[in-house]
Amino acid sequence: MRFVVIGITDSPRPFFPPEVHDAIRGGRVFSGGRRHHEIVARLLPAGAEWIDISVPLDDVFRRYRAIAQTLTPDTPVVVFASGDPLFFGFANTIRRKMPEAEIIVYPAFNSLQMLAHRLLMPYHDMHIVSLTGRPWPAFDRALIEGYGKIGVLTDREHTPAAIARRMLEYGYMDYDMSIGEHLGHPEYEQVRTLSLDEAASQTFSHPNCVIVHTHGNQMSAKRQRRFGIPDTQFALLDGRERMITKMPIRLLTLQALDLPRSQVLWDIGFCTGSVSVEARLQFPHLTIEAFEVRPDCEAIMHKNMRRHGAPGIGVHIGDFLTANLAALPAPDAVFIGGHGGRLADIMRRVLTVLTPDGCMVMNSVKAPKVTTDSLQLWNDACRELGLRQESPLYIQCNEHHPITILKCKR
């Protein structure tokens, strides 16, 4: 099956080169979104058939396959798509859904290129994120990694105002926002550059796109990621200094979890959230899900996320043993920060979702007043569950009780 995919802008009278006009004149079956149809309807030949691109996409591709039976091998389906069809565009969807198809692409400028052109802004150093039908993680990662220029494709949920509010909530204030609305349309196009405070309180017409850029000539955001957040900078549970994984222990724990090679971290018994927050900042590619039984810890976690600029940690309050885990991504690294004496049960449940090469890590405190020997519980659980332990690491920081960092795999 053949496709000719033609990129267009919002202009009601798009400019096409001669070969594109030839493809349109010779076409019989055309496809695109409703907005695309409004723009190109006057150019289509008499009797043309149109296939709307709408969800669910599986239905669209079933129609493509059915219509292919009526076309000669040399007759393509002509598809209209926004901007550059290979830039988060529909040509990529065709390649994924129909890898055997032959595709010819005639691109237009994508919306972020057009916005940069309007602003006379060089864009070779722009980091690109799509929030069109996608959640926040890629954008959060770009903020944490400190890119000075981030181009964002938006949708009706991830609006410029919503993006600005998220940046302000997590303290990423070294940016201005440039917004392009209806780019390419001679009547409705509008380009504005606003502060984040201004953008957060305004409404914007759709479609639009955004470039957030640091003030002046800054090449990156001023906010620096520490290698190890000082313990004093965390909000604590009831002000108790001992209810936090100390910074040197925290960094060694992240090392034991092998997070550079991991994709999903679960933090069970997060308390103040220090391990999750540190992991989010040191390894922003991670998906992090954090669990805690104490309701008071939820506000503390969110406070520490905002304080340290660590958006995107999933927070789950309640008993881990009864939590609904079905919708969560399977972990390949699990830190058990608290177990309430039910360590074997927790580890057994983790094993139902842990990836085959995943690991579990726990820190055991050697304290005189501790009635439950967590090291013994760990050893017993590993033996009962048939888990392979790695060599433990023994460490003591200042006057604090000795810590043993424990790690196991299947």
Side-chain angles (χ1 to χ4, degrees), residues 167-184:
M167 296 177 71
L168 291 169
E169 179 180 2
Y170 290 99
Y172 291 93
M173 301 179 182
D174 296 328
Y175 293 86
D176 293 317
M177 176 180 285
S178 295
I179 308 101
E181 302 164 80
H182 295 284
L183 292 170

Side-chain angles (χ1 to χ4, degrees), residues 328-348:
L328 299 179
D332 48 11
V334 175
F335 175 63
I336 303 175
H339 54 79
R342 301 180 296 171
L343 181 58
D345 292 335
I346 289 173
M347 294 173 73
R348 185 178 294 106

Side-chain angles (χ1 to χ4, degrees), residues 22-230:
D22 290 342
I24 294 172
R25 280 193 296 268
R28 185 166 73 80
V29 180
F30 299 85
S31 189
R34 292 183 181 178
R35 182 167 56 90
H36 303 139
H37 188 246
E38 293 173 359
I39 293 172
V40 302
R42 64 183 180 82
L43 302 177
L44 304 184
E49 182 176 353
W50 182 270
I51 299 175
D52 264 329
I53 297 176
S54 58
V55 293
L57 288 178
D58 286 345
D59 291 345
V60 177
F61 281 88
R62 272 193 288 271
R63 291 193 65 188
Y64 288 161
R65 288 187 173 91
I67 204 73
Q69 306 304 314
T70 70
L71 302 175
T72 66
D74 293 332
T75 303
V77 173
V78 180
V79 179
F80 295 94
S82 296
D84 181 349
L86 288 170
F87 182 78
F88 297 98
F90 196 69
N92 297 321
T93 307
I94 297 173
R95 293 183 68 197
R96 186 175 69 252
K97 296 276 191 180
M98 302 180 70
E100 75 286 356
E102 178 186 348
I103 305 172
I104 299 173
V105 173
Y106 295 100
F109 286 120
N110 69 62
S111 59
L112 288 171
Q113 286 177 308
M114 294 177 70
L115 179 55
H117 296 163
R118 303 296 191 268
L119 298 167
L120 292 181
M121 176 187 288
Y123 60 89
H124 58 274
D125 56 346
M126 182 164 61
H127 184 78
I128 308 297
V129 171
S130 176
L131 292 176
T132 304
R134 295 171 170 85
W136 290 106
F139 180 70
D140 294 341
R141 178 177 180 177
L143 290 178
I144 293 169
E145 292 181 343
Y147 287 101
K149 191 182 298 177
I150 308 171
V152 188
L153 301 175
T154 64
D155 62 17
R156 295 184 186 277
E157 177 184 352
H158 302 91
T159 65
I163 293 166
R165 288 193 293 267
R166 190 172 185 85
M167 296 177 71
L168 291 169
E169 179 180 2
Y170 290 99
Y172 291 93
M173 301 179 182
D174 296 328
Y175 293 86
D176 293 317
M177 176 180 285
S178 295
I179 308 101
E181 302 164 80
H182 295 284
L183 292 170
H185 197 289
E187 183 177 354
Y188 301 124
E189 178 179 303
Q190 185 173 14
V191 174
R192 290 179 276 174
T193 297
L194 305 172
S195 69
L196 294 180
D197 285 314
E198 291 170 332
S201 60
Q202 296 195 26
T203 57
F204 302 89
S205 59
H206 192 80
N208 57 61
C209 65
V210 161
I211 300 175
V212 292
H213 43 93
T214 47
H215 305 314
N217 295 318
Q218 290 175 229
M219 297 302 292
S220 61
K222 290 180 181 177
R223 186 170 198 148
Q224 298 297 317
R225 283 186 286 160
R226 292 175 176 268
F227 185 68
I229 305 169

Side-chain angles (χ1 to χ4, degrees), residues 375-400:
L375 178 56
Q376 186 61 50
L377 290 175
W378 172 270
N379 289 332
D380 291 345
C382 287
R383 186 166 49 251
E384 176 188 343
L385 300 171
L387 298 172
R388 173 174 53 88
Q389 294 198 55
E390 297 193 1
S391 298
L393 176 63
Y394 305 97
I395 187 169
Q396 181 171 358
C397 296
N398 300 328
E399 76 282 2
H400 300 295

